[in-house]
Amino acid sequence: MDTFFFFTLFSPILFSSLFFFLEFIGNKNSSIFKKRTFIFLSFGLLAILASLGISNLMGIFINFYSSFNIASPSYENFPSWLVIIIIILELDLANYLTHRFMHFVPFLWRFHRLHHSDRKVNALTTLLHHPLEVIINSVLIVGFYVAFDLPIILIIFYNILLALHSAFVHSTIRIPKSMEKWVGYIFVMPVMHRSHHSIDVSYGNANYGSIFSMWDRLLGTYKQKEVSKANPMVFGVDISKTPKENSMQSFLINPLV
Ligand SMILES: [Zn+2]
C-alpha cells in the first residue's frame, strides 16, 4: 500500500509534467513555458511536503471524524461494479463540494485564489496551490472519507484518476469541438474547467466539478463562457486595484491580507 500512497502523492507532478510535455512539443512559442516550469514544479513539491507534514496529524483528525459515523451504508445487495461506481461518484461529489466551499467561504477563498491567479492556465496550473490550502483541503476531504467509511483502495484509485484528469482539464491541448460537447455531458472537459479560471467572477464562481460534469448541471452551477476572437478568455483574479496585489506572489505570501 505504501507504494500506491507514494504514487498518489507524486501523481499530480507526474501527470501535469506529461501533459505539459505534450503542450510544449505542440507549441511553436515554447519559450514562454520554460519560465513557468521551475516555479510550478516547486509548488508541486511543496504540496507533497505539506501532505507528508500533516500525514502524522491525520490520525488525530481521523479519530475526530470517526466519532460522527455519519454513514456506512450497506451495499450487500448491490453487484460489486455498481458499488465501485457509487463510491467513485461519492468521492467526486466530495471534491465538488469542497471546491465550492473554497470559493464561497471567504477564509478558504483567500488560499484557493492563488490557484486562480495564474494568467496563463496550462497543465502546470494543476500544481499551483497554496500549501495551507493543500492542508485544509486534506482535512476536509479525509473527514469525508472517514465519516462515510470509504475503502482506501478506491480512494487511491480515484485520486490517481483525479490527478490525470486535472492535468488534462487545465491543459491547452486542443480537442475537437464535437468531442468536447458530447464527452462533456459526462466528464469535465478542458473548455468547461478553463472557463472556471475566467477573471470574470460570474464564470469563476461556476463549474466546480472535478471529474464528472453532472454535479454542476444538477446543482445549478454550470455556466460556460463562449470564447471567440472578439471575446477571448482572460484568466486570473481581479479583486484589488493594483496588479501587484492580484499577483501570485501576493496571494502566496499574504493570503489573509
Ligand atoms: Zn476554483
Side-chain angles (χ1 to χ4, degrees):
M1 196 59 81
D2 278 356
T3 317
F4 282 120
F5 175 68
F6 278 100
F7 184 69
T8 312
L9 270 181
F10 280 91
S11 58
I13 288 191
L14 182 76
F15 292 126
S16 55
S17 302
L18 176 73
F19 276 93
F20 173 64
F21 176 69
L22 294 174
E23 289 174 323
F24 188 78
I25 55 174
N27 194 303
K28 289 184 187 120
N29 189 13
S30 56
S31 61
I32 343 163
F33 290 140
K34 285 179 188 165
K35 296 171 192 163
R36 294 164 56 84
T37 317
F38 176 75
I39 187 159
F40 282 62
L41 287 177
S42 304
F43 271 106
L45 287 172
L46 215 54
I48 292 174
L49 289 177
S51 303
L52 285 173
I54 57 152
S55 61
N56 286 335
L57 267 178
M58 272 303 167
I60 298 168
F61 293 121
I62 288 170
N63 283 337
F64 171 72
Y65 288 122
S66 59
S67 62
F68 290 103
N69 218 355
I70 296 169
S72 183
S74 165
Y75 294 118
E76 276 171 21
N77 300 323
F78 291 31
S80 51
W81 62 266
L82 187 58
V83 176
I84 292 171
I85 292 175
I86 292 171
I87 292 173
I88 295 292
L89 289 175
E90 280 181 42
L91 291 164
D92 202 55
L93 177 61
N95 269 285
Y96 167 89
L97 292 173
T98 48
H99 188 187
R100 202 166 162 176
F101 278 146
M102 288 288 166
H103 279 258
F104 277 93
V105 178
F107 176 74
L108 299 180
W109 168 245
R110 287 175 178 277
F111 298 100
H112 183 58
R113 66 190 181 183
L114 173 67
H115 178 66
H116 283 266
S117 65
D118 191 6
R119 291 182 175 263
K120 294 186 178 89
V121 174
N122 78 344
L124 291 178
T125 310
T126 318
L127 303 173
L128 181 64
H129 286 281
H130 199 287
L132 287 172
E133 184 198 349
V134 175
I135 291 173
I136 294 167
N137 197 52
S138 302
V139 170
L140 290 173
I141 213 92
V142 167
F144 185 89
Y145 298 160
V146 178
F148 285 82
D149 197 18
L150 300 176
I152 187 77
I153 189 71
L154 284 182
I155 291 170
I156 287 174
F157 173 71
Y158 174 80
N159 278 293
I160 292 172
L161 210 62
L162 180 66
L164 173 67
H165 186 263
S166 190
F168 166 62
V169 294
H170 285 97
S171 76
T172 54
I173 286 172
R174 292 187 183 191
I175 310 285
K177 276 197 168 169
S178 59
M179 193 178 163
E180 290 253 22
K181 185 184 169 194
W182 292 108
V183 180
Y185 283 116
I186 300 173
F187 297 105
V188 174
M189 295 297 277
V191 70
M192 182 176 169
H193 188 72
R194 288 167 65 82
S195 175
H196 173 69
H197 278 267
S198 170
I199 201 163
D200 179 344
V201 284
S202 70
Y203 293 99
N205 288 333
N207 297 4
Y208 301 109
S210 293
I211 294 183
F212 296 99
S213 62
M214 65 178 175
W215 308 121
D216 284 297
R217 294 179 194 279
L218 289 172
L219 301 170
T221 51
Y222 177 75
K223 192 174 180 188
Q224 189 60 55
K225 185 171 169 65
E226 292 304 325
V227 181
S228 64
K229 274 193 179 163
N231 186 25
M233 177 71 82
V234 180
F235 301 116
V237 175
D238 187 16
I239 54 167
S240 190
K241 289 192 180 89
T242 66
K244 201 179 171 193
E245 285 170 336
N246 290 319
S247 69
M248 204 181 283
Q249 290 91 326
S250 170
F251 294 147
L252 173 68
I253 297 163
N254 305 312
L256 298 178
V257 175

